[in-house]
Amino acid sequence: MVGMLGRGVGDIGVANFYITALEGRREFTDYSTPFGQEESCFLLRKEAPSPRWQSLALPFTGDTWLGILVVVSLMGPIFYCLASFSTTRKESLAEHSLVFTSLYTIGVTLRVSRPFLPNHPSLQVFLVFLWLYVIIVTVAYCANLTAFLTVERVPEGITSLQELYNSPLLVYGQGPFFGDNMAEAKNQYVKGLADRFFAMSNIEEIYKKLISGYGVYISSRNHLVYTGSSYASSVGVPTLRIIPECFQPFNVAIGLQSHSPLKRYFDTAVLWLTEGGFLHHWFDETLLQARIYRMSEKETEEEDKNIKGNAKEKEFSGIQKNIALTVEHIQGTFMILGIGCGISYLAFIIECSAVTLLRK
């Protein structure tokens, strides 16, 4: 387009024209009054949601889980020592082993009523405060767990130019313009990304690369917002996202021939449109139309089945407000049960083997 304006083939160039002298553009083209500001950003595939089974551990932080593990480990021995050294009154729990008292306190931690109650006052006070601790911790865990089971968590992923530079992703763009911009950038990470830049003319091929996770697409922010909203699921859930950190802000204008007599007319018209807020209004309308078009394009039988089976998308589209927990939501509990059964079976085999060896 710049070449056509420079050769006199075209009179007006309407696009996201960055006002720049890169590659001698000022010698071949002129620009109208700027109608907006843009910056160069990167678009990439949205990260896959975290596995649902991780939801069981998410209500508490790692430090909290470590504290709970320490408490569970110490309560059994402390309870056993208090029961063993009770002299003022006979303590029935003192007749049992350390393993029994450890299981006793673990049962209390799981809010299970115990068949044996201590007789000694010190043990009774200890047990009261242990129950108070257990009630607070378990209620907090259960209340927080519901939110983590129903809300889909997405990893943060790449958020900065440095992280993008350290990743193996390639950079794709339409034409060489953005590759040349990156090569001349002062930011060392952007300059390093220029070595991984590939110019492609077919936008559909670029998006195939993005969806496959091979690379990122560099363009102006508004262009990426528009195309990113177009490439969404049938209910508007984004499949692509823009990396928050961008670079090289530019003014954007309409391209004209050098010394064009049309410039003063376009300057006046662009100023009217900008001050009236029409550009922002039209851009918002364009985004809405793009979403409607993409949704109508994807209304297939397969998408309908996905909508029925995906509670997250139902909530997003407003079809269903209350979410019923599926097997996917609570898959972690089934995993715990399976692991427990496996450990129990292993302990059973070891026990049988030990008995057999003793008999021999």
Side-chain angles (χ1 to χ4, degrees):
M1 192 178 293
V2 173
M4 293 176 69
L5 293 175
R7 295 191 303 271
V9 178
D11 299 305
I12 305 165
V14 181
N16 253 2
F17 260 125
Y18 284 5
I19 298 180
T20 176
L22 182 67
E23 297 179 344
R25 289 193 177 200
R26 283 289 193 178
E27 300 176 11
F28 304 103
T29 60
D30 205 348
Y31 299 94
S32 68
T33 297
F35 58 79
Q37 278 194 330
E38 279 283 16
E39 53 186 350
S40 303
C41 300
F42 297 93
L43 187 73
L44 78 165
R45 182 179 66 177
K46 191 177 179 181
E47 289 74 13
S50 301
R52 289 284 189 180
W53 60 266
Q54 294 181 1
S55 300
L56 294 179
L58 295 177
F60 291 149
T61 62
D63 295 340
T64 306
W65 281 117
L66 181 60
I68 293 174
L69 180 62
V70 171
V71 170
V72 172
S73 302
L74 294 179
M75 289 304 100
I78 292 175
F79 198 72
Y80 177 75
C81 292
L82 290 175
S84 299
F85 292 104
S86 297
T87 56
T88 57
R89 186 181 299 179
K90 184 177 180 181
E91 185 59 63
S92 60
L93 291 174
E95 302 173 359
H96 298 283
S97 64
L98 175 62
V99 175
F100 178 85
T101 55
S102 297
L103 292 175
Y104 186 96
T105 54
I106 290 175
V108 173
T109 306
L110 297 176
R111 290 175 64 179
V112 178
S113 299
R114 313 313 302 150
F116 301 99
L117 295 177
N119 299 320
H120 198 272
S122 61
L123 286 177
Q124 293 174 350
V125 172
F126 173 82
L127 196 60
V128 167
F129 280 92
L130 178 60
W131 268 107
L132 182 62
Y133 154 82
V134 167
I135 290 173
I136 295 173
V137 170
T138 53
V139 169
Y141 175 79
C142 294
N144 211 13
L145 178 62
T146 305
F148 283 101
L149 287 175
T150 54
V151 177
E152 194 174 56
R153 294 181 68 255
V154 179
E156 189 175 27
I158 297 175
T159 58
S160 66
L161 297 175
Q162 181 179 357
E163 292 175 355
L164 178 60
Y165 173 78
N166 294 330
S167 73
L169 297 176
L170 304 176
V171 181
Y172 301 99
Q174 283 190 290
F177 175 78
F178 287 101
D180 297 336
N181 265 337
M182 287 193 294
E184 296 186 2
K186 295 181 179 180
N187 187 303
Q188 58 176 334
Y189 302 117
V190 175
K191 198 164 187 175
L193 287 170
D195 298 331
R196 288 187 259 162
F197 178 81
F198 292 91
M200 301 178 68
S201 58
N202 192 329
I203 186 66
E204 293 296 334
E205 290 298 323
I206 292 178
Y207 279 104
K208 286 180 181 179
K209 299 286 186 181
L210 294 189
I211 297 300
S212 301
Y214 293 134
V216 298
Y217 173 41
I218 180 173
S219 188
S220 62
R221 173 177 284 277
N222 278 346
H223 174 65
L224 296 183
V225 170
Y226 167 75
T227 51
S229 65
S230 299
Y231 284 82
S233 68
S234 61
V235 292
V237 177
T239 56
L240 302 170
R241 70 175 181 88
I242 299 175
I243 296 178
E245 187 177 358
C246 300
F247 70 103
Q248 286 184 326
F250 286 97
N251 286 324
V252 184
I254 294 174
L256 301 165
Q257 292 181 8
S258 296
H259 312 294
S260 173
L262 300 175
K263 176 173 168 50
R264 62 191 183 98
Y265 299 108
F266 273 95
D267 288 346
T268 303
V270 168
L271 189 60
W272 287 345
L273 293 174
T274 304
E275 291 179 345
F278 286 99
L279 297 176
H280 293 291
H281 173 70
W282 289 335
F283 183 69
D284 292 339
E285 276 196 342
T286 304
L287 289 180
L288 179 60
Q289 292 299 322
R291 293 191 188 101
I292 293 175
Y293 174 74
R294 185 63 60 176
M295 289 170 63
S296 63
E297 222 180 26
K298 291 186 175 182
E299 283 181 353
T300 61
E301 183 177 351
E302 183 178 353
E303 285 285 50
D304 291 336
K305 290 180 181 178
N306 289 337
I307 294 174
K308 294 177 182 178
N310 193 318
K312 171 72 173 64
E313 292 189 349
K314 283 183 178 180
E315 181 188 22
F316 185 91
S317 61
I319 297 174
Q320 177 177 316
K321 297 296 182 183
N322 299 321
I323 298 177
L325 297 181
T326 64
V327 175
E328 181 187 2
H329 288 105
I330 58 174
Q331 60 180 263
T333 57
F334 292 98
M335 292 179 62
I336 290 178
L337 180 60
I339 293 172
C341 291
I343 295 175
S344 176
Y345 180 69
L346 181 62
F348 174 74
I349 293 177
I350 294 174
E351 184 180 352
C352 293
S353 301
V355 172
T356 303
L357 291 174
L358 289 174
R359 287 179 179 176
K360 289 182 179 180

